[in-house]
Amino acid sequence: MNARSDESTRPAVRPGDRPRHRSTGEHDSAKRVTFTVAAVATSLLLLVTAAGLGWFLLSSDGPASELTSGVEEAEDPTAGSEPSDDSPAPEGVLSDPGSGVAYELPDGGWERLGDDEVPQGYSSYVVLGSVDDPDAFIVTGSQRFDGTESLEETGLRLASDAVGTFVGEGEVPEVAPSGTEEVDGHPAFGASVGAPTGDGPYGRLVVVEMDASHGAFALGLNTDGGDEASADVDTALDSVGVL
């Protein structure tokens, strides 16, 4: 009787219905535990990350800065570099990279003109007095060698041509060797034009053999500057050197 009474009180299960499970609260407890573990793990991860970032920022004077300093020193283009060929010439020295020679610039009114004022065929131009009609001047330039002339013949021809161009219709002074045979270890030839004292133009030329195919020269000419200008020309041409 009791067994039947219990069975009659159970709800009938219809075909297709899922069995109903009794809620015991176990699943909710498991979910809460899982969420708590995940939250703790996330907090620890954030703390570790923040600590690492703080160490990185505070250690800028440590290994990281030493590495950066090493890279900067390696990339410094001026560290241990030698002076270039374009270094400024000493004060009072005219340096002409166009020809490859330099000389002591005379004092007392001598002026180096700009590149746009240099006569054709030369690479530097220094004048005494008026720019348009100087009392004296010094030019430098380059000369190609074609193998048909000796260094002496080339020097005498350059001196004669230059004097003839600048003196004009007047009588061209005599051109003669001046005894220069070497400049800074390079074969050279020197020539003089006229006399350093008295009336008439006076000039000096030095041509230097830079290699087998070309040379460089410096030419100074005093047309109306007096004995002092002639002395300046001598001083400058005596100081000619190779860059």
Side-chain angles (χ1 to χ4, degrees):
M1 293 292 292
N2 290 337
R4 291 193 187 98
S5 174
D6 291 339
E7 290 176 358
S8 62
T9 59
R10 293 178 183 176
V13 178
R14 291 178 301 214
D17 288 348
R18 294 182 178 179
R20 298 179 180 178
H21 296 279
R22 186 176 299 173
S23 176
T24 62
E26 294 178 357
H27 293 293
D28 293 339
S29 298
K31 289 181 180 180
R32 284 195 296 269
V33 171
T34 302
F35 177 79
T36 302
V37 172
V40 172
T42 302
S43 300
L44 290 175
L45 178 61
L46 290 175
L47 288 174
V48 172
T49 303
L53 181 60
W55 177 87
F56 177 81
L57 293 176
L58 293 175
S59 62
S60 58
D61 294 332
S65 63
E66 293 175 1
L67 178 60
T68 303
S69 176
V71 172
E72 289 176 351
E73 292 176 0
E75 293 178 353
D76 184 3
T78 62
S81 61
E82 298 295 331
S84 68
D85 293 338
D86 296 331
S87 299
E91 185 177 357
V93 174
L94 185 144
S95 177
D96 177 27
S99 64
V101 296
Y103 63 87
E104 293 181 9
L105 187 64
D107 296 327
W110 290 83
E111 177 186 2
R112 180 175 185 173
L113 302 186
D115 293 342
D116 58 339
E117 299 176 279
V118 177
Q120 186 176 3
Y122 305 102
S123 53
S124 76
Y125 187 37
V126 174
V127 301
L128 174 66
S130 170
V131 174
D132 298 327
D133 187 17
D135 295 330
F137 65 86
I138 303 173
V139 292
T140 57
S142 298
Q143 174 66 38
R144 300 293 299 178
F145 296 149
D146 59 10
T148 61
E149 294 180 329
S150 66
L151 187 60
E152 179 178 355
E153 291 171 334
T154 298
L156 291 173
R157 176 178 56 79
L158 286 173
S160 298
D161 291 347
V163 172
T165 299
F166 290 106
V167 169
E169 297 178 357
E171 183 180 354
V172 177
E174 180 182 0
V175 179
S178 67
T180 303
E181 297 180 354
E182 183 179 286
V183 171
D184 292 342
H186 293 258
F189 174 78
S192 62
V193 182
T197 59
D199 297 333
Y202 171 72
R204 287 275 304 277
L205 176 136
V206 173
V207 57
V208 183
E209 183 179 307
M210 307 299 283
D211 57 39
S213 62
H214 86 286
F217 65 87
L219 168 70
L221 183 64
N222 170 27
T223 59
D224 195 23
D227 295 348
E228 186 175 351
S230 294
D232 287 345
V233 169
D234 280 338
T235 300
L237 271 291
D238 286 340
S239 69
V240 170
V242 174
L243 293 177

